[in-house]
């Protein structure tokens, strides 16, 4: 089953089967290691503070920006707080008693000569003050400063456990999230970047940035990893460390996994982060949804051998959906003329499906955002006429099967999807 791994203009993909399947899966998978204890803390404990950390090339900044856009979280950057506080602390007052502007270069120079100007207790006090200003908000704390000068102080995080414990007396933390990239992948990315050159005359942002300096970034990564250890261990000991392997370097896949994890915490959503997949054997049954711009995925269109083995087709479907990301409303999948039409011949997989419902309407599974998106589109036919069999699973996943869909076939597809869809 050979296919071209090129992205069409509308992002409809045909998935390749080149190379070793296990290696292909390793490269494309985003793993999230998280205990159920964390969902309990977010849903029932009242803890709404999350600590974030990620080293060079981890994509931490992009993930935090997406969390702000999707859930309206309040970001507290230790580096920004330190920057502002140091400006006030180090600037020489002018004749009017106001702090004169201190250039960043001069501030860094003073830090280099006086590294003890910054200590972890002061950082936590700055963060605590900011958290207390917005007590009812979900806070994401970007804890580790990126400054090499600050991270070079090997004693900075020595007493991290004691200070975190003290900080949590006032500001309890639900969990810490670590975005990490394995060293081999990082080195490969940096070595590739080292061969790039700036386009002629390019000096503005968008050219090759300082992370293309391979040696410098590797040093920053080593400093970051060393500084992180006591913080990481503190949260690991209390089973509150979420580790996200971002080695795939695919922002779409990384965000697709993280957004569904956060959606399962029942946060107030600004966008749709609720994944619903409707399986049909006749696309005409969901035409009213397609008319309202619901994305229809035909299995015969995303593979060049629709009669290929069942597990491979399911893997291709999950890959396709992960690449497309969270939809405005849901996805409709037409299994006609593919191996999925004979799924009942396969064995049911072992997985966690915590609810099965019969004769349910699509509307009962939509959030307010999704309903508004459907109602905005004008159509003569109602979009909520059909009945479905529903399988609900963790990570905000809902699988619906149209009326008349063979029950064994639906069960095999649902359990296979859930077993492959691991956060």
């Amino acid at each position: 089953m050979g296919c071209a791994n090129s992205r069409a203009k509308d992002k409809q993909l045909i998935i390749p089967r080149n190379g070793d399947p296990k290696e292909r899966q390793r490269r494309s998978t985003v793993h999230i290691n998280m205990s159920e204890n964390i969902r309990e803390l977010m849903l029932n404990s009242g803890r709404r503070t999350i600590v974030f950390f990620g080293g060079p090339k981890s994509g931490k900044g992009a993930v935090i920006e997406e969390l702000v856009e999707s859930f309206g979280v309040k970001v507290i950057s230790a580096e920004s707080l330190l920057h502002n506080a140091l400006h006030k602390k180090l600037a020489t007052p002018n004749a009017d008693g106001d702090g004169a502007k201190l250039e960043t270069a001069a501030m860094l120079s003073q830090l280099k000569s006086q590294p003890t100007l910054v200590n972890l207790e002061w950082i936590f006090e700055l963060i605590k003050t900011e958290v207390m200003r917005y007590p009812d908000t979900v806070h994401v704390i970007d804890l580790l400063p990126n400054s090499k000068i600050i991270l070079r102080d090997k004693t900075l995080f020595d007493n991290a456990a004691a200070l975190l414990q003290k900080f949590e007396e006032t500001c309890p933390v639900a969990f810490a999230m670590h975005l990490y990239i394995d060293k081999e992948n990082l080195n490969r990315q940096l070595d590739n970047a080292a061969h790039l050159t700036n386009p002629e005359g390019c000096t503005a942002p968008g050219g090759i940035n300082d992370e293309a300096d391979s040696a410098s970034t590797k040093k920053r990564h080593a400093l970051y990893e060393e500084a992180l250890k006591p913080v990481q261990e503190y949260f690991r000991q209390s089973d509150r460390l979420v580790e996200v392997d971002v080695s795939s370097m695919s922002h779409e896949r990384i965000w697709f996994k993280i957004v569904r994890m956060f959606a399962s915490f029942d946060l107030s959503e600004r966008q749709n982060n609720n994944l619903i997949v409707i399986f049909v054997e006749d696309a005409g049954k969901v035409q009213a949804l397609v008319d309202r711009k619901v994305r229809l995925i035909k299995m015969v269109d995303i593979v060049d051998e629709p009669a290929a083995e069942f597990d491979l087709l399911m893997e291709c479907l999950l890959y396709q959906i992960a690449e497309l990301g969270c939809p405005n409303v849901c996805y409709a999948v037409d299994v006609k003329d593919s191996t999925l039409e004979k799924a009942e011949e396969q064995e049911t997989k072992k997985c966690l499906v915590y609810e099965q419902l019969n004769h349910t309407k699509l509307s009962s599974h939509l959030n307010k955002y999704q309903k508004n998106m459907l109602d905005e589109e004008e159509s003569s036919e109602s979009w909520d006429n059909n009945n479905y069999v529903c399988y609900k699973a963790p990570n905000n996943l809902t699988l619906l099967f149209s009326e008349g869909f063979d029950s064994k076939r639906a069960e095999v597809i649902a359990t296979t999807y859930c077993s492959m869809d691991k956060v």
Side-chain angles (χ1 to χ4, degrees), residues 93-133:
N94 58 26
D96 298 325
D98 297 325
K101 182 179 179 182
L102 182 71
E103 295 298 331
T104 300
M107 181 184 70
L108 292 177
S109 177
Q110 289 197 44
L111 273 177
K112 196 170 185 178
S113 61
Q114 298 177 270
T116 54
L117 283 170
V118 173
N119 61 75
L120 194 57
E121 186 172 9
W122 185 35
I123 293 175
F124 278 122
E125 282 299 320
L126 293 172
I127 293 172
K128 183 169 72 173
T129 300
E130 196 67 15
V131 169
M132 298 305 289
R133 288 178 61 194

Side-chain angles (χ1 to χ4, degrees), residues 357-387:
L357 304 169
N358 295 317
H359 305 295
T360 183
K361 297 285 189 183
L362 173 61
S363 57
S364 63
H365 304 286
L366 300 178
N367 60 32
K368 186 177 179 180
Y369 176 91
Q370 291 168 302
K371 288 178 181 177
N372 288 342
M373 291 298 297
L374 286 174
D375 290 337
E376 280 179 5
E377 297 291 331
E378 293 185 4
S379 176
S380 58
E381 188 177 351
S382 170
W383 55 264
D384 202 32
N385 286 335
N386 296 335
N387 288 316

Side-chain angles (χ1 to χ4, degrees), residues 157-189:
F157 289 89
D158 282 352
N159 59 343
L163 290 174
L164 275 164
Q165 194 169 10
K166 182 181 177 182
F167 174 78
E168 288 204 85
E169 290 174 4
T170 309
C171 308
V173 176
F175 66 92
M177 175 171 276
H178 177 207
L179 308 184
Y180 72 93
I181 175 172
D182 66 79
K183 197 170 184 178
E184 179 186 346
N185 200 308
L186 175 68
N187 289 339
R188 183 168 60 252
Q189 293 290 326

Side-chain angles (χ1 to χ4, degrees), residues 3 131 176 217 251 275 278 293 306 349 373-374 376 384 400:
C3 321
V131 169
T217 305
H251 176 70
L275 180 60
I278 302 173
K293 300 182 180 178
K349 300 289 193 302
M373 291 298 297
L374 286 174
E376 280 179 5
D384 202 32
L400 300 177

Side-chain angles (χ1 to χ4, degrees), residues 18-32:
N18 300 325
D20 178 60
K22 290 183 179 178
E23 173 63 15
R24 184 179 73 251
Q25 185 177 20
R26 185 194 70 79
R27 290 197 308 266
S28 65
T29 302
V30 177
H31 296 286
I32 297 183

Side-chain angles (χ1 to χ4, degrees), residues 285-296:
K285 292 185 177 181
V286 289
Q287 189 58 49
L289 293 173
V290 175
D291 290 344
R292 289 171 167 80
K293 300 182 180 178
V294 165
R295 182 61 180 265
L296 176 65

Side-chain angles (χ1 to χ4, degrees), residues 391-402:
Y391 290 84
K392 278 189 173 291
N395 313 319
N396 256 35
L397 173 64
T398 301
L399 303 176
L400 300 177
F401 295 85
S402 60

